[in-house]
Amino acid sequence: MNEHRIDVLFTAEAIAARIAGLATEIREAGFRENVLVVAVLKGGFVFAADLIRALHGAGVSPEVDFMSLSSYRDGTASSGTVTVLRDLETDVAGRNVLIVDDILESGRTLAYAVRLLEERGAARVALAVLLDKPGHRVAAIEGDFVGFTCPDLFVVGFGMDMGHAYRELPYIGHVVAAK
Ligand code: IMP
Ligand code: MG
């Protein structure tokens, strides 16, 4: 049961419209052939699921794989260490790779992912994020395809969680307070 008040920031309809626009942007940027979508678990899976269907609508036929990354970023000893918890099954060499995640915030995790896939010989690596929270960037990385710029609030829904809850919400909301 939901225990918090959640104010809607981006409706399901607004998200769907934006994802359709992103798919067109991605195709127009040259992601047409040999495309591998890398969905970053767990938060990126809902966005990735909708984005691949929007890509189909835009005439792009991607393959899909998944990776799970863990970053340790406690304020004191923030080394930016990233661990691959679940690696890809696909060889990315020569592929046009589109990394898909929920939020770009510090950018540490995604900067690591981009570098890793480049080192493995991807022809091209680009980053699609549903939300950009630019206020806390640490790594030198920007999204190539960004759904929305997000206010500096804690958000949930559309794959994003708070303590493992709320990923199932069909909209993106701001957790305001306990009910
Ligand atoms: P970073 O860019 O390496 O700092 O990591 C961003 C990740 O932190 C996202 O993929 C989310 O998993 C998580 N995150 C950041 N802000 C929020 C939020 O407002 N709600 C839920 N998860 C968040
Ligand atoms: Mg994440």
Side-chain angles (χ1 to χ4, degrees), residues 142-157:
E142 294 302 327
D144 298 287
F145 308 101
V146 174
F148 303 98
T149 300
C150 183
D152 193 10
L153 300 168
F154 196 84
V155 295
V156 295

Side-chain angles (χ1 to χ4, degrees), residues 40-44 69 71 73 101-104 109-110 159-161 167:
V40 181
L41 300 173
K42 299 176 183 172
L69 302 162
S71 69
R73 41 187 187 140
D101 203 359
D102 53 358
I103 305 185
L104 179 61
T109 320
L110 290 173
M160 292 172 278
D161 74 308
R167 292 193 199 274

Side-chain angles (χ1 to χ4, degrees), residues 24-178:
T24 304
E25 287 177 30
I26 290 164
R27 184 196 63 214
E28 292 307 306
F31 281 81
R32 290 162 192 255
E33 305 290 335
N34 201 16
V35 177
L36 176 69
V37 163
V38 171
V40 181
L41 300 173
K42 299 176 183 172
F45 86 102
V46 175
F47 174 41
D50 280 11
L51 184 62
I52 61 170
R53 286 176 285 183
L55 285 169
H56 169 79
V60 181
S61 305
E63 289 182 21
V64 185
D65 203 343
F66 302 88
M67 77 190 307
S68 176
L69 302 162
S70 162
S71 69
Y72 299 94
R73 41 187 187 140
D74 61 292
T76 48
S78 189
S79 62
T81 308
V82 179
T83 308
V84 177
L85 298 175
R86 186 234 187 251
D87 207 343
L88 299 174
E89 295 172 354
T90 311
D91 181 2
V92 301
R95 309 296 302 269
N96 294 316
V97 175
L98 184 67
I99 298 176
V100 176
D101 203 359
D102 53 358
I103 305 185
L104 179 61
E105 192 171 25
S106 80
R108 281 201 189 95
T109 320
L110 290 173
Y112 175 88
V114 168
R115 199 169 56 243
L116 181 69
L117 301 189
E118 284 174 349
E119 283 169 6
R120 290 179 181 177
R124 186 173 175 187
V125 180
L127 176 61
V129 290
L130 184 56
L131 300 180
D132 183 12
K133 274 191 182 177
H136 301 277
R137 197 82 85 249
V138 172
I141 184 171
E142 294 302 327
D144 298 287
F145 308 101
V146 174
F148 303 98
T149 300
C150 183
D152 193 10
L153 300 168
F154 196 84
V155 295
V156 295
F158 218 82
M160 292 172 278
D161 74 308
M162 185 175 69
H164 308 292
Y166 304 121
R167 292 193 199 274
E168 75 283 8
L169 300 179
Y171 51 85
I172 296 169
H174 164 221
V175 181
V176 180

